[in-house]
Amino acid sequence: MTAEVGFGIIGLGRMGAFHASLLRGPVKGARLVAATVDPGHRQLLLGSGQAPCPLVDDVDALFAMPTVDAVVVVSPASLHHDHIPRAAAAGKAIFAEKPLADSVERAHAVADDVRRSGVPFQIGFQRRFDRGYARARELIAEGAIGKVEMIRALTCDRMPPVEFLRTSGGLFWDLAIHDFDAARFLTGEEVSAVFAVGSIAVEPQLTEFDDIDHGIVTLRFANGALGVAQSSWRAPAGYDIRAEVHGSLGKVVTEVDEKYPTHLYRDGGVSQERHDQFVERFADAYRAELQAFVDALRADRDPSPNLDDALRAVEIADAATRSRREGRWIELA
Ligand SMILES: NC(=O)c1ccc[n+]([C@@H]2O[C@H](COP(=O)([O-])OP(=O)(O)OC[C@H]3O[C@@H](n4cnc5c(N)ncnc54)[C@H](O)[C@@H]3O)[C@@H](O)[C@H]2O)c1
């Protein structure tokens, strides 16, 4: 595939709308053809005149369009196990948002279907395309900090609506999954065991579906290194995200706190504005990951991060969730 890649999008919510805006200009070699959303959202978009592209009735109509070469699956996590295999069966290249599916069993079934179909696949772990995370990985791979011995990863975000969380799979599946992938990406090592704890400090309704809003996952890696992934749905000063990898020679830290390289000095103190939302903090990375996907398709290269990366992340999220519920270490295969 060398010509411009025609895209269809499944879902135009918080994340899908942003992907649509990227495919309408900033991502080169791509063209946004059409999208589909749920019927209620469709009415809303048509009524407000805010649809970014033509809307078709459902995923089948999208898959039937010959001008759609690739799809971005950015529907709720609970629908990925349905939408991804159907896109694969229709022969569309797939860029899917995390998680691959809402259970490990379903994730493996999805991966098997995609592999059998042979369509190109990329999972949306955008931190790998962030300048800070990418540079940290380069330094670690070059041996700049020696042998990796420990990692600390943190993500604190504002809580999405409880209705979204109900089908998200929980804190470890929805939020910490980025730290699990970042831990693998940065260290270059596989996680071999996890022990997790969690608490509810923000939203008591989470007990209804056995979720948490604060969680800490201790990670053990195959090479003996240790790690901690700390996540919460509490970010009073805006999106808060960082990673620190310790090695035998030094450590590498990646964190971007400022929205602007500007400090306000006033009333005996200094303040700076922070990124409020993930779309601000990772705007460049979201563009870069889609650009990498398009470039891979046009050059007939395998996109990355791939199905194995998508699977490892859900296996860690699942193990962390079970560990938190059962109060014990869970080993990963
Ligand atoms: N990579 C990231 O940083 C990041 C950030 C946010 C969300 N996400 C992921 O993106 C996905 C979507 O999250 P969101 O926050 O945008 O959700 P959302 O609830 O805001 O939007 C969901 C969209 O899916 C549509 N939809 C629902 N059912 C559908 C169906 N049957 N067919 C077609 N469309 C349907 C809805 O109409 C809506 O447009 C999730 O997998 C989430 O984990 C990733």
Side-chain angles (χ1 to χ4, degrees), residues 43 54 56 84 92 99 104 117 134-135 156-157 180 182 205 210 231:
Q43 287 307 320
V56 296
I84 296 172
K92 309 296 181 187
V104 170
S117 74
R135 180 64 183 142
C156 300
D157 195 0
F180 302 148
Q205 278 190 71
D210 194 11
S231 50

Side-chain angles (χ1 to χ4, degrees), residues 111-133:
D112 289 346
D113 285 348
V114 175
R115 285 197 179 108
R116 257 194 304 273
S117 74
V119 300
F121 178 92
Q122 184 172 326
I123 188 81
F125 286 135
Q126 82 281 357
R127 290 188 196 179
R128 292 177 178 234
F129 297 87
D130 175 72
R131 286 178 66 232
Y133 280 80

Side-chain angles (χ1 to χ4, degrees), residues 148-167:
V148 171
E149 293 170 341
M150 194 161 66
I151 177 167
R152 193 162 70 89
L154 175 140
T155 300
C156 300
D157 195 0
R158 297 192 197 285
M159 183 177 269
V162 170
E163 287 321 306
F164 171 87
L165 293 175
R166 247 178 234 287
T167 60

Side-chain angles (χ1 to χ4, degrees), residues 12-15 37-38 41 74 76 79-80 97-98 126 286:
L12 288 171
R14 293 184 310 162
M15 196 64 233
V37 296
D38 76 55
H41 194 193
V74 63
L79 298 178
H80 292 186
E97 269 303 339
K98 39 56 66 170
Q126 82 281 357
Y286 289 128

